[in-house]
Amino acid sequence: MLSIGIYSDKPDDVAIMKSVIQDFLINYNLMAKLTVFTNPDEFITVPGSYDMYIMDMDSADDVIELGKQMMTIDVGSRFIYFCTDTNQAYRAAKARADYFLAKPIDEKEFYEVLEEIKQKIKDDNLIIKLSDGERRVRANSLNYINIVKRCLCYHLTDGTMFDGQTLRTSFEKAISPLQHHKSKSFLFLPPSLLINIGEIKIVNRDNVVFENDDVLYIPKKAYDTVRNAWINYNRFVN
């Protein structure tokens, strides 16, 4: 199920957005949680996360600043900005918007953007099998994966963790999709550790410190491997 947040105080524009989104969901046989926000405090304190945010720059509030704040809270979400003034495209780009669309809303253009985001969400997300179902997580929300009591244990950037299914194959085979993820941020340390080097801020001789200050101890013999991968990754992304 997709989750979509709209920030706008323009009812007519919201109605058009909802109509296009509804057509999109029907055509792809998808379900979605759709929430409309008109209040900055409510928007910033929203629980959970959204796959995409649709930001109306014609709203009374400074939507650019709200979007920048939310990007630090809900890392990995996609942001679409709408505005009547096309000169505002520069501000949206500077705020790292994924898309800027001019008003009046071009329904065909908006639909095509939704299709592109759908594919990006598919690429960015993992479906993890649990003992009682499935869980969808963003690849960039993982710090590392290891084995606990024969289960894959997923450690997330928000400090939480959860167990997947009991391991019935090799660890390396189980985490293979992440090893080859397009972000190129995952490093496999045999026999049973996968680290998201994109979330590391410090590499020490016997441990790494993640952006959320979690500490993971590693074999000292793995120091050079981790440090070199971390340095090369940061060259790649920068």
Side-chain angles (χ1 to χ4, degrees):
M1 183 173 75
L2 292 174
S3 52
I4 303 170
I6 298 175
Y7 192 99
S8 177
D9 57 11
K10 309 297 181 187
D12 291 344
D13 287 331
V14 170
I16 296 173
M17 294 175 192
K18 284 184 172 181
S19 175
V20 175
I21 291 170
Q22 186 64 31
D23 287 344
F24 171 77
L25 295 174
I26 291 172
N27 287 343
Y28 282 97
N29 194 28
L30 296 172
M31 297 180 64
K33 175 181 73 173
L34 179 61
T35 309
V36 178
F37 300 96
T38 58
N39 180 281
D41 294 333
E42 179 186 28
F43 178 70
I44 292 300
T45 58
V46 60
S49 61
Y50 287 80
D51 294 304
M52 72 180 84
Y53 292 91
I54 301 168
M55 311 294 289
D56 186 350
M57 295 175 69
D58 292 334
S59 301
D61 303 295
D62 190 342
V63 171
I64 286 287
E65 288 303 314
L66 287 173
K68 287 166 66 175
Q69 290 181 58
M70 185 54 74
M71 284 181 189
T72 66
I73 297 170
D74 202 355
V75 178
S77 295
R78 304 293 175 175
F79 284 77
I80 306 170
Y81 283 82
F82 278 99
C83 191
T84 303
D85 182 3
T86 56
N87 292 324
Q88 294 298 315
Y90 171 75
R91 289 188 67 214
K94 195 173 180 180
R96 298 187 177 183
D98 294 285
Y99 299 91
F100 176 87
L101 301 178
K103 287 184 181 180
I105 297 172
D106 183 323
E107 296 186 27
K108 181 175 182 295
E109 182 182 37
F110 182 34
Y111 188 97
E112 289 173 351
V113 165
L114 292 175
E115 288 183 313
E116 289 183 20
I117 291 179
K118 172 181 173 291
Q119 184 59 48
K120 290 178 179 179
I121 291 171
K122 181 180 178 181
D123 292 342
D124 290 345
N125 284 258
L126 304 170
I127 303 299
I128 298 171
K129 293 186 180 300
L130 309 175
S131 59
D132 58 351
E134 295 180 338
R135 177 168 175 172
R136 180 165 65 97
V137 299
R138 294 174 184 157
N140 67 354
S141 71
L142 290 168
N143 272 349
Y144 64 97
I145 304 172
N146 61 359
I147 294 178
V148 176
K149 296 181 179 179
R150 294 184 54 78
C151 289
L152 289 176
C153 186
Y154 297 82
H155 301 256
L156 306 182
T157 56
D158 64 4
T160 63
M161 67 181 74
F162 67 92
D163 291 336
Q165 285 187 326
T166 300
L167 197 60
R168 303 185 187 281
T169 184
S170 69
F171 180 87
E172 184 174 11
K173 185 174 181 180
I175 53 86
S176 178
L178 277 173
Q179 268 191 282
H180 302 97
H181 192 265
K182 66 174 187 175
S183 68
K184 303 183 185 299
S185 66
F186 290 94
L187 175 67
F188 171 52
L189 293 180
S192 56
L193 182 61
L194 185 77
I195 302 175
N196 184 357
I197 54 177
E199 288 298 320
I200 293 175
K201 67 177 179 180
I202 301 172
V203 178
N204 296 313
R205 281 285 173 185
D206 64 346
N207 68 73
V208 296
V209 182
F210 293 99
E211 292 290 348
N212 68 346
D213 292 325
D214 278 0
V215 177
L216 171 67
Y217 286 91
I218 59 174
K220 289 184 178 180
K221 63 182 181 181
Y223 169 74
D224 288 337
T225 300
V226 174
R227 181 176 181 275
N228 290 337
W230 181 57
I231 291 172
N232 290 334
Y233 173 78
N234 283 298
R235 285 176 180 164
F236 168 75
V237 297
N238 293 327

